[in-house]
Amino acid sequence: MTDTEAALSLLNAAAVRQRAHEMLALAIDGDLSDWRVDLTQLEPVADRVTAVIRSQYPSLQVPFHARWRHFVVGGRDLWAELAGRNDWVDAAHRGRAAFDLAITSVLLDAGAGPAWRYSDAATGTITSRSEGLAVASLRLFESGAFSTCPDPLRADNLSALTTKTLAKGFQVSDANPLLGLDGRADLLRRLGDQCAARPDLFGAKDSPRPGGLFDALAARATDGRLPAPVILEVLLEALGPIWRNRLTLGGVDLGDTWRHPAMRRDDPTDNLVPIHKLSQWLAYSLIEPLLDAGIEVFDIDGLTGLAEYRNGGLFMDGGVLVLKDPSQQPLSQDVSRPLIVGWRSLTVALLDRIAPMVRARLGVAEADFPLARVLEGGTWATGRILARELRDDGGPPLQIVSDGTVF
């Protein structure tokens, strides 16, 4: 296996899942230095998740876990309102705009910190964390801050985005600080540069933009059908170069892939653990624009659960994941530390474990209630509830040093 072949073998959801379950097996055997797993606590956590789903969705009509949920504020669907005011040339035109919004919004959706808030004059709401970042990014997109032309609903001017523009759009001030502001702005600028460098993926017919990926994915559909894992694979190829200070192998950017000493291989992927959280969150968020354009997306569970602090916090706060050294919990942890890499990988595997338990309690079939619904209903919501019950600021159980591009 060449280095390039080894790198490409890590850029898919199957590799994330395989190594996550291997990490869980190591933890169960007691072979991880940082974590032990108490699977007896998985049943009560599944009970809690099931109760939250029934409370929030009595009819069990749970939507997919996607960025679009965060655009519904104060009973108003802000994207539906915005899209409804526009005369679209065709379904592809709307799909490209939806991709532009989803991609920029998701890439801006890293931990905001406990102090940041966004006040939206149009709805009279004040939101924080992921929901606040969603509304702020939508309003910035709506304003035309990402566009070079009279049509504001496009993102073809990202390379010129300044930190000042982003700060203004996100209402950042000394009294309203946002974690990783510089990192977020730099990430979008690099996305703009990557769009220009890869017109084959981001669109050659007009100015390249993230929305060009709509056409790239539509072209990969067979008889109007597209496997969800292909969305992730295209995203990992398209977005790989935008991440700063990440691992590479054979000249290939590995994105959200990290080293862990327990993950052993007799090939160039030794010690490497792929997670691809933000890219998978984005893959979930691109499903609906494709469906709206008439493309059937299937094999949703070919994607994995998301290794972020709500899901990871669910298993820590629920007693399933236990630090072997409790003194580590209040310390600041860099995302590259094996402790954090292990936590995130274990989270992916445990989401696979808990999903069928939740379905059994709800009496639903996997085909009708894929992992994307379990997450939304679900594990993410329950993780947030537990965090608020246990910590005044509702923050994660571990203190993560973030540059705004991982969590």
Side-chain angles (χ1 to χ4, degrees), residues 13 17 36 53 79 138 163 193 203 252 263 280 288 304 313 377:
R17 176 166 275 122
R36 66 180 180 86
I53 292 174
W79 165 243
L138 180 141
T163 302
D193 294 344
V252 177
M263 190 61 56
Q280 293 208 80
E288 287 165 62
T304 77

Side-chain angles (χ1 to χ4, degrees), residues 23 32 34 258-264 271-273 338-339 341-342:
M23 189 77 73
L32 293 187
D34 296 308
W258 309 88
R259 297 193 183 280
H260 194 290
M263 190 61 56
R264 302 310 308 271
N271 295 153
L272 295 179
V273 179
L339 184 151
V341 177

